[in-house]
Amino acid sequence: MPKYLNELKKLFSISANPEQRDGMKAYMLNQFDFYGIKTPERDKIVKAYIKANPLKTIEEVNGIVRKMWTFKEREWQYAAIDVFRYHHPLWEEQVIDLIASCLKTKSWWDTVDGIGSDWIPVYFSYYPHQIIPITERWNKSDNIWLQRSSILFQRSYKKNTNTHLLAEYILQHRLSKEFFIQKAIGWALREYSKTNPAWVKSFVESHDLAPLSKREALKKMKD
């Protein structure tokens, strides 16, 4: 294990809480092990550590993040999201390969949506010419987490949302039986409804969406 991660592992081990571990594991349907460190404490540990130990090159960052992604305790993947985000000034266009790898590996809503919040919008702000080729590829893939990411990548775009892409990517999967895809469709529409409720209302009325997607899409307007 790299020295960088050895030191962080010591901090995680010191803060591990067996009493919280089982509850956190159960919440994630027993798919992942945990140290049992709650989010506020983990954030405090990781953010202080990253700030005190900045990495110098994108090669270092990629290697560290990939290694963190292999560890069994889920806190490592959460910390990896923080490490990669912190070093975004070092990113190069090719880091999309790492982003896609992390979306597809040890995948669940927690890491996929964390990447969707902290990595993907930053990457596309640096490399906007990659938006269509990357998201089209994700949307047409057979991986539900890439599909989910293609539907949700604009959720923070507000007035800059490309409604043509939003509609295209939703309609490609509107018949999906996958809970996380139906939920993503509703979430994407709900977020955009805060900016353009008329468009969302018209879209929902014009297309046969899953009940879950429709319910989520209209939630804020009903409120």
Side-chain angles (χ1 to χ4, degrees):
M1 181 184 293
K3 181 180 178 182
Y4 183 93
L5 297 181
N6 265 328
E7 296 301 317
L8 188 53
K9 183 179 181 180
K10 291 177 184 176
L11 296 174
F12 280 165
S13 298
I14 291 169
S15 300
N17 188 330
E19 294 181 1
Q20 294 173 169
R21 184 181 299 153
D22 291 344
M24 296 171 78
K25 184 174 181 178
Y27 180 70
M28 297 300 291
L29 304 183
N30 297 309
Q31 296 185 95
F32 310 105
D33 291 322
F34 284 84
Y35 284 105
I37 308 171
K38 289 190 174 180
T39 300
E41 184 178 3
R42 188 195 72 243
D43 282 348
K44 185 177 179 180
I45 293 168
V46 173
K47 289 176 181 178
Y49 188 81
I50 295 171
K51 188 174 180 180
N53 299 275
L55 299 169
K56 305 299 183 184
T57 68
I58 190 59
E59 289 76 20
E60 284 184 291
V61 175
N62 288 346
I64 290 294
V65 169
R66 287 187 184 278
K67 188 66 176 176
M68 294 171 84
W69 220 262
T70 68
F71 297 153
K72 67 176 184 176
E73 293 88 0
R74 197 58 163 171
E75 287 89 348
W76 283 109
Q77 284 83 65
Y78 301 151
I81 292 173
D82 292 337
V83 168
F84 194 63
R85 176 186 59 200
Y86 181 86
H87 292 93
H88 69 85
L90 298 176
W91 290 5
E92 298 173 348
E93 190 167 339
Q94 293 75 15
V95 302
I96 193 63
D97 296 332
L98 173 63
I99 294 173
S101 175
C102 291
L103 286 171
K104 295 185 294 182
T105 308
K106 296 190 175 182
S107 311
W108 199 241
W109 62 265
D110 55 342
T111 53
V112 169
D113 294 347
I115 290 169
S117 295
D118 292 355
W119 295 5
I120 293 174
V122 179
Y123 179 82
F124 286 144
S125 73
Y126 286 164
Y127 306 107
H129 64 280
Q130 285 277 43
I131 291 175
I132 291 178
I134 294 298
T135 59
E136 279 191 347
R137 183 160 71 243
W138 290 354
N139 191 256
K140 293 176 182 177
S141 78
D142 58 4
N143 183 289
I144 68 164
W145 302 108
L146 294 181
Q147 294 169 8
R148 180 177 170 91
S149 298
S150 73
I151 293 166
L152 284 170
F153 83 94
Q154 297 191 85
R155 70 179 188 265
S156 63
Y157 282 24
K158 299 181 180 179
K159 64 182 180 63
N160 295 320
T161 297
N162 182 325
T163 53
H164 173 77
L165 280 187
L166 180 62
E168 177 185 339
Y169 292 170
I170 287 173
L171 293 177
Q172 180 72 19
H173 296 285
R174 69 180 179 84
L175 300 179
S176 174
K177 302 301 182 184
E178 289 284 353
F179 170 83
F180 288 109
I181 298 302
Q182 293 183 7
K183 190 81 169 180
I185 290 171
W187 186 9
L189 290 170
R190 184 175 75 241
E191 287 303 304
Y192 189 51
S193 76
K194 298 173 186 177
T195 298
N196 192 341
W199 187 93
V200 172
K201 185 173 185 293
S202 175
F203 182 86
V204 170
E205 291 174 348
S206 301
H207 300 93
D208 185 18
L209 303 179
L212 173 60
S213 299
K214 183 175 181 179
R215 186 166 61 250
E216 289 293 319
L218 300 177
K219 186 179 289 184
K220 287 296 179 182
M221 286 186 278
K222 289 180 179 179
D223 291 344

